[in-house]
Amino acid sequence: MYQEEYKRWLAADLEDPDLKPELSRIREDDNEIRERFAASLKFGTAGLRGILGAGTNRMNIYVVRQATQGLAQWVKTQGGTQTVAISYDSRLKSDIFAKAAAGVMAANGIHVRIYDSLMPVPALSFATRYYHCNAGIMVTASHNPSKYNGYKAYGPDGCQLTDDAAAIVYDEIQRTDVLTGASCMSFAEGVEQGLIRFVGDDCKNAFYAAIEARQVRPGLCKTAGLKLVYSPLNGSGLIPVTKVLNDIGITDITIVPEQEYPNGYFTTCSYPNPEIYAALELGLQLAKETGADLMLATDPDADRVGIAMKCPDGSYELVSGNEMGVLLLDYICAGRIEKGTMPANPVAVKSIVSTPLTDAVAAHYGVELRSVLTGFKWIGDQIASLEAAGEVDRFIFGYEESYGYLAGPYVRDKDAVIASMLICEMAAYYRSIGSSIKQRLEEIYAQYGRYLNEVDSYEFPGLTGMDRMAGIMQSLRDNAPTDFAGDKVVKVTDYKDSAATGLPASNVLIFELESGATVVVRPSGTEPKIKTYFTTRGKDLAEAKAQRATLTEAIKPLLA
């Protein structure tokens, strides 16, 4: 079957000149043909993500058109404005895929608002809401290596598609022939017919204004003298992040030159992920040379941000996603209470795999903390429920441990632009009172206890990878461990059981241990990986680390 599909692609008149030579090269390689044609990229609530190349199991213009045709069929049933917003980042072929998607929408009689140059995820979410669109499309593979690209689909609220909508779109995709099934129109023709229009300056300016309105201490940064090193990691963050920082008064910004401009090959770091040290290495060197207070990096689609903070001895220390989530919540709460801008009955939201330290900080400030499934759409869902009740201003902050943050309801996905602004404002504030982010973090640990949160990933590549992951998760359910290295399991929460958790069913297991530690096991929704999240708490860092190391060794055999 897969050989037949391969031959059909080989015989077709393919538009993308890169695909035919690729297909010819694998003519004698049955394994490679099977890998590309025995399956199709699965469309889910996170859209599509895959390696660039020829085949149904790869990201290419035909798979993008097929997915867009499926999305168009759903949009046509939705009434409303019959409009879709589109943006894209710096990845290889992102602009080509974005224009191809626009052409499919236009050929289906659906209006398109597309950015005239690369813009990040939050800007797409904002435009979807601003133009009252039925849907949004973001062409990106987030922080994956350069050989990947992807396609995120958004609903009218600017949140990633719901499970129900994604299932309908997937069914429509299944009915659409990948090579010939999508209605197509050239981008130029769509523009000439008035079906494709660019996002206007009014929308862009409204996006920046919405972010800048969320300053906690307006005007503070103009006099604080903060010195910053910033890297957009060759992605879409450069213009929006520097514009907002300049607007609020942070002008001493040194950009990492090798990572300043868009480059989908990401030649300076194989994995453009601000969670990992290698991606921040060039920025850290520059920070040391310039004596910066802070080094900050956003991922290619600028929905995540990572930082290194300056320590009293002049060295730089990376801040984890959990630590930054806690620091920002603490800063926003303290600052808004001080300024008298804290709403009545404030609400913050975190994912179930994020640190329990957040709960302690929220309780200290009298903030209602809601825990939701992993995936920022669930945080967006909480904002939507507040909005439906006429209480959207109660939402002050949401975050995931994977470096995604949002303060304010103007978009419904994580936003590295507002996170960059608030992190810099926070650093400027602590600098202005003779303190630092590092000092404040140590104060938080002294107050609440020394929490340690770390994540391991186990990869399961190839066509059998997903089956192996499913088998491991089933085994953990059928034969749940009673202890980890002698630390007794006192409670197991299975998030597949929505009646017990009150949340939608999800493939997540949380083991709570007698020592107070927790172990979370969760397959990734976008990659062939099982992730394990460890939370330990000790009288100091050494004790918390020792406990974490013991737990890591105990779980390894269960994931073999």
Side-chain angles (χ1 to χ4, degrees), residues 89-236:
D89 68 4
S90 61
R91 287 186 172 272
L92 303 176
K93 307 204 179 210
S94 278
D95 55 337
I96 294 167
F97 293 165
K99 287 180 175 176
V104 171
M105 286 295 176
N108 279 277
I110 295 164
H111 292 265
V112 172
R113 284 286 192 160
I114 186 170
Y115 279 98
D116 53 4
S117 61
L118 70 167
M119 280 291 274
V121 157
L124 181 274
S125 179
F126 189 85
T128 304
R129 294 172 61 79
Y130 185 86
Y131 290 115
H132 304 289
C133 295
N134 298 85
I137 296 167
M138 179 75 199
V139 181
T140 177
S142 190
H143 53 280
N144 282 72
S146 61
K147 66 181 180 180
Y148 286 85
N149 210 330
Y151 178 111
K152 292 181 182 175
Y154 289 76
D157 56 354
C159 209
Q160 285 191 35
L161 276 191
T162 63
D163 290 343
D164 291 346
I168 294 166
V169 173
Y170 182 60
D171 286 345
E172 293 291 351
I173 290 170
Q174 300 285 82
R175 281 196 274 273
T176 304
D177 183 270
V178 65
L179 290 180
T180 60
S183 301
C184 294
M185 180 186 285
S186 76
F187 187 80
E189 193 181 345
V191 172
E192 281 163 20
Q193 291 191 21
L195 285 159
I196 299 173
R197 297 173 66 193
F198 290 110
V199 169
D201 286 343
D202 55 334
C203 178
K204 294 177 190 172
N205 292 333
F207 173 60
Y208 295 133
I211 290 170
E212 290 164 24
R214 305 301 295 191
Q215 292 174 75
V216 176
R217 294 180 168 92
L220 172 95
C221 293
K222 288 184 167 65
T223 55
L226 188 79
K227 199 174 177 66
L228 175 71
V229 166
Y230 169 56
S231 172
L233 295 180
N234 302 117
S236 61

Side-chain angles (χ1 to χ4, degrees), residues 268-513:
T268 60
C269 57
S270 59
Y271 197 45
N273 182 352
E275 295 180 54
I276 61 171
Y277 178 80
L280 275 61
E281 210 163 357
L282 286 171
L284 284 165
Q285 287 170 15
L286 203 51
K288 285 169 191 161
E289 287 165 21
T290 59
D293 298 293
L294 193 63
M295 189 266 144
L296 186 139
T298 52
D299 68 341
D301 60 346
D303 61 356
R304 299 170 196 244
V305 58
I307 76 149
M309 58 185 174
K310 192 176 189 180
C311 299
D313 64 358
S315 67
Y316 291 84
E317 187 179 307
L318 301 195
V319 180
S320 75
N322 274 312
E323 288 175 329
M324 184 48 69
V326 166
L327 280 161
L328 283 172
L329 178 63
D330 173 70
Y331 176 72
I332 290 166
C333 290
R336 291 188 69 165
I337 289 167
E338 177 199 311
K339 292 289 181 186
T341 55
M342 185 69 111
N345 308 312
V347 173
V349 190
K350 73 169 178 70
S351 64
I352 55 173
V353 298
S354 299
T355 179
L357 177 54
T358 324
D359 303 63
V361 172
H364 174 77
Y365 289 108
V367 171
E368 180 192 340
L369 183 70
R370 300 180 181 180
S371 290
V372 296
L373 297 177
T374 307
F376 220 88
K377 66 176 180 175
W378 299 114
I379 295 175
D381 190 51
Q382 290 296 321
I383 303 171
S385 70
L386 288 168
E387 189 171 51
E391 301 177 340
V392 77
D393 290 337
R394 289 176 60 197
F395 173 75
I396 58 165
F397 184 62
Y399 90 98
E400 292 187 312
E401 52 72 42
S402 53
Y403 294 63
Y405 316 96
L406 177 64
Y410 60 97
V411 296
R412 299 296 154 85
D413 209 337
K414 45 194 179 280
D415 180 4
V417 185
I418 196 168
S420 298
M421 178 189 82
L422 288 172
I423 290 166
C424 290
E425 187 197 303
M426 176 170 68
Y429 170 69
Y430 291 135
R431 190 179 193 277
S432 75
I433 61 167
S435 181
S436 65
I437 292 179
K438 171 70 173 171
Q439 190 174 327
R440 181 60 195 150
L441 184 59
E442 292 306 325
E443 288 164 5
I444 287 169
Y445 283 138
Q447 184 174 350
Y448 302 103
R450 188 56 173 92
Y451 286 75
L452 178 68
N453 304 92
E454 292 187 340
V455 185
D456 288 337
S457 286
Y458 297 82
E459 294 199 15
F460 298 87
L463 286 172
T464 61
M466 290 308 206
D467 292 337
R468 288 168 61 207
M469 285 163 59
I472 287 168
M473 293 304 292
Q474 194 55 51
S475 175
L476 285 171
R477 287 188 167 91
D478 295 342
N479 308 292
T482 53
D483 71 284
F484 289 89
D487 196 347
K488 192 176 164 193
V489 175
V490 293
K491 186 181 178 189
V492 182
T493 306
D494 185 350
Y495 281 84
K496 269 200 168 174
D497 182 359
S498 53
T501 64
L503 296 173
S506 183
N507 194 7
V508 181
L509 289 165
I510 296 186
F511 300 93
E512 295 176 40
L513 310 183

